[in-house]
DNA sequence: GATGAATGAGCGTTCATTCAT
DNA sequence: AATGAATGAACGCTCATTCAT
């Protein structure tokens, strides 16, 4: 009870080491994206940072809190905003669409964003699902405006049109733009995205006429 | 002789079903799809089966082996084959494509297939990625044949064409056809898939020329 | 995640060993009485039983539950009931009082009861306090009856009379009848208790008259 | 010269009181009495002082040392001396005894003393036991002198006599005079103590003989 | 084939303590 | 004199797995 004969615990001498919240979050993103929330351990994260595990608890209250900070911080922005925000009602669809695509692919190609994609993936269906729903919702007014201006053909629903754009992107993200992706993967994804865009842009404009 | 005291004909009650490999795999699929490999516990799986956890070790050597059996068994077939195999070189693209789509969506709508989708998702990028690669590979000869016969326009690469078809399907799978999907989700996915098919079929045939 | 290369865990060969709830409770009583709830560790308890710590969790859900089972099981009975129940209104005080004393001391002298005394002590003031309150409450009707029959002098309150009896007992319990008590301690306590009884019995009967 | 711009006379505000050993000991007494040595944490003590935990190590070498300082400082004095020292051989027993009682009760009623009682309680049997032994030892010469002078009847041993006095006090201390005691508890204890004294004083003087 | 009891490994977390500032 | 950040130890508990029945 009162006898602790060898009190050799405590912080050992130290040279230099700045362990910040950010470095922890980086390490956690890496760990969680590699093994999922349950598969990653606090000790693994700490090891990536280069400290012992209790050190993390000076910055975060729990493993779960680290995870949530990660979601809150990097989540919506990294994944979706980038390209979506660049699409505005004023810009003609034929110009805005390629622009949006380019920006989205660029954003998703960064290591952080790719690691984050893996992480979200591992959260189960709700993770990616909600993300896509979110993008879809935010794109809707822009597409509606394009349709009103005659740039988007009127015989297909806005929702279908959005899905034409978003759907393959989601596939690309999962297939090529994840944490382990090589630069070849990334290049390939970019190529596919561009090719997809060209085709889809045509479909969304006049198609109907040709049926004639 | 004519009426034996213990008829026992027909199917026996089986109120106490024996614990078979299949029932374990069903339970494991459910557990793994809900919480991932690390999040699911052997005890949870056993509980779903209705036995105690060591009972599973009479059928499988380890948790990992259960998981792998699941992948081997249900994996490729459930996810991809269905539709892919129905696409043959003899059938014209305009007919084969909708048929394939229909079959894929139908297959993916079953509870088992949806649970499996969640599971694969949680395995990280390699899971879904490899799956799509696999489908792509098997579709290639069919598409090449279509292109040779002039059914698929020649100015786009086969790979891009395949991606046009496969990409949105992957998105749909993730967004709507997972373990927790409601029947509304499923209906919605079906609608989107059909709309997508109509547009894409046009794009893949003549597109460019007619714009003129 | 899925790789556990050396699955050498599991229960090693075993000769004979019956680990029951009771043996755990005995060990826990010992540990808790020696170091208190916070000072005792689950591993210590398990070591006393001769098993590894997770083994305890097959019988109890948590450390706290072990503690509570201990309180529920041994608590009130071991500590108080013994003597108190033997005091009835029909028996004359001069006979019932020594009898009660003897029984209480005898009960409190058992190793279990003494260990339990140490445990209750370490719970803080409420532990012993409540216990004494309890005894006091249960003794009250008996004392009231004695007072009505003229066996207990009328010029002192029942409460004070009870305290005369109970108070020194509490002191004895703490001073001599705890977990570490030697047999000499116990003998000493018994002697003191008897001497106390003789004096107190006189005080409670006529005293007043003699003052005259 | 006559009125200096910064008077600074009298007691300085001291709104930010310095962290002294005393304030740490106060906080520690509170913490230890509430949760015991193992249950209380250095962080809790520091929080009560209003500083961070390493600050305490500027004043004490370890948690254990704080605890021991507490025992050394407040221990024997607070608990026993008060009344005991006031009993001297010269004073007649009939006067000294009530006086002693009064002083002991008064001393034990202070918040510090009550907190300390809780603390000692939680240390296990040795804590209170040793304390009572100590008091008993120091009272012995006084009682022996009283017995020699015929004030204490000769047919009971000094030890028993001392126990008659001390025993119920120990009970009172535990039951009513602990850290959490309300003022009603304290008043009650005082009443019981006085009643006890009156009875016991008679017993210790002539008792047996006069019954006749 | 199934279970209860057990195990070693290891997890998330807290603790007392120390170093550098 | 005090703090923020860090540490090794160890705690309570869960996990996958195994043995004996």
């Amino acid at each position: 009870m009162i006898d602790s004969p060898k009190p050799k615990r405590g912080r050992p001498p130290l040279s230099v080491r700045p362990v910040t919240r950010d470095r922890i979050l980086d390490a956690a993103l890496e760990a969680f994206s590699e093994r999922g929330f349950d598969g990653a351990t606090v000790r693994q994260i700490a090891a990536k940072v280069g400290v012992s595990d209790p050190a993390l608890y000076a910055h975060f209250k729990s493993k779960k809190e680290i995870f949530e900070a990660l979601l809150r911080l990097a989540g919506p922005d990294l994944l979706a905003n980038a390209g979506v925000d660049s699409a505005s009602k004023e810009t003609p669809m034929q110009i805005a669409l390629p622009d949006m695509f380019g920006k989205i692919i660029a954003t998703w190609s960064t290591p952080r964003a790719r690691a984050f994609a893996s992480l979200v993936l591992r959260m189960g269906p709700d993770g990616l699902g909600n993300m896509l729903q979110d993008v879809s919702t935010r794109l809707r007014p822009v597409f509606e405006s394009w349709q009103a201006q005659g740039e988007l053909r009127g015989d297909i629903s806005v929702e279908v049109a959005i899905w034409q754009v978003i759907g393959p992107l989601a596939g690309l993200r999962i297939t090529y733009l994840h944490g382990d992706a090589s630069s070849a993967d990334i290049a390939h994804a970019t190529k596919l995205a561009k090719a997809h865009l060209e085709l889809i842009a045509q479909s969304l404009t006049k198609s109907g006429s040709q049926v004639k």
Side-chain angles (χ1 to χ4, degrees), chain A:
Chain A
M1 171 207 193
I2 305 180
D3 319 312
S4 38
K6 288 170 192 165
K8 272 202 186 153
R9 308 186 206 150
R11 179 191 194 176
L14 159 90
S15 46
V16 271
R17 220 171 340 171
V19 174
T20 58
R21 254 182 85 99
D22 282 354
R23 287 188 54 211
I24 295 175
L25 288 174
D26 280 350
L29 175 55
E30 199 178 314
F32 286 139
S33 73
E34 280 168 357
R35 346 250 301 204
F37 181 82
D38 291 300
T41 75
V42 172
R43 296 204 221 292
Q44 281 165 10
I45 299 175
K48 281 176 194 284
V49 179
V51 294
S52 64
D53 39 323
L56 305 191
Y57 289 85
H59 301 274
F60 296 92
K61 273 178 64 183
S62 67
K63 181 188 184 184
K64 200 179 164 192
E65 210 183 57
I66 298 179
F67 189 77
E68 282 164 355
L70 219 41
L71 285 192
R72 214 174 315 119
L73 188 71
D77 295 312
L78 269 182
L79 286 170
N81 290 3
V84 174
D85 291 345
S86 76
S88 83
K89 306 176 184 178
E90 289 80 41
T91 325
M93 188 176 86
Q94 294 284 4
I95 293 171
L97 224 47
D99 192 40
M100 194 180 95
F101 252 71
K103 283 191 179 150
I104 287 184
I105 293 291
T107 305
W108 285 2
S109 299
T110 67
R112 262 187 85 85
R114 285 185 286 113
F116 200 76
S118 294
L119 182 158
V120 167
L121 216 62
R122 287 181 182 277
M123 292 178 60
D126 286 351
L128 257 178
N130 288 344
M131 203 178 76
L132 286 177
Q133 294 281 20
D134 183 45
V135 176
S136 178
T137 304
R138 292 162 67 184
L139 239 30
R140 173 174 292 267
V142 180
F143 272 66
E144 279 170 348
S145 146
W146 284 337
Q147 196 168 46
Q149 289 159 27
E151 300 201 69
L152 173 63
R153 48 190 275 214
D155 61 337
I156 62 174
S157 79
V158 165
E159 188 176 17
V160 167
I162 291 176
W163 183 253
Q164 294 294 107
V165 172
I166 291 299
L169 277 183
L172 280 178
R173 185 147 181 65
I174 292 156
T175 318
Y176 299 109
L177 297 174
H178 49 70
D180 299 332
S182 65
S183 55
D185 283 336
I186 299 176
H188 194 63
T190 309
K191 200 189 82 187
L192 282 177
K194 282 188 181 148
H196 167 63
L197 173 64
E198 282 171 31
L199 281 176
I200 221 64
Q202 292 171 3
S203 305
L204 296 181
T205 42
K206 352 211 165 88
S207 76
S209 56
Q210 338 159 207
V211 171
K212 184 181 4 163

